[in-house]
Amino acid sequence: SKKSKWEELRNDINTNPWGLGYKIVTRKLGAQRPTPELNENVMTNIVNTLFPQHERRTDPGTPALEEPPFFTENELRSAAKSLKNNKAPGPDGIP
């Protein structure tokens, strides 16, 4: 029985990489733990601690930073058309 279940799991992994084998491994790694609920004050404290605000440095001889140039709608459309279809979204959420 154990041997047949092992063979069944191996075959399932070969045909469906996101099936039972994936679930077993992620459960063992603890990847499916729910994120803790944090209230707004705790979250604000964490963000302010990790990303403190500083005054802008003005070292002598350092050129002033210029705003990046804006792009046109045509440039945006051209860039969007060059993206491949059916791809997973990146950190920006654009598929």
Side-chain angles (χ1 to χ4, degrees):
S1 172
K2 191 184 271 189
K3 186 176 181 177
S4 68
K5 284 295 184 182
W6 182 251
E7 287 298 319
E8 186 179 318
L9 178 62
R10 286 180 53 211
N11 290 333
D12 181 56
I13 290 171
N14 288 332
T15 58
N16 182 10
W18 306 114
L20 181 60
Y22 176 79
K23 290 177 185 175
I24 291 171
V25 170
T26 54
R27 195 175 317 125
K28 293 288 185 185
L29 294 175
Q32 295 181 340
R33 290 186 190 138
T35 56
E37 293 294 324
L38 301 174
N39 66 37
E40 186 177 350
N41 292 334
V42 173
M43 186 61 75
T44 302
N45 186 26
I46 291 171
V47 170
N48 290 335
T49 302
L50 292 174
F51 306 102
Q53 298 293 318
H54 300 286
E55 291 183 30
R56 184 176 286 247
R57 285 178 47 170
T58 55
D59 294 337
T62 304
L65 295 176
E66 296 179 13
E67 290 292 320
F70 290 105
F71 51 87
T72 65
E73 185 177 338
N74 289 338
E75 290 172 326
L76 177 62
R77 288 182 187 279
S78 174
K81 286 180 182 178
S82 71
L83 297 174
K84 295 180 180 177
N85 291 327
N86 302 321
K87 297 295 178 186
D92 58 5
I94 299 173

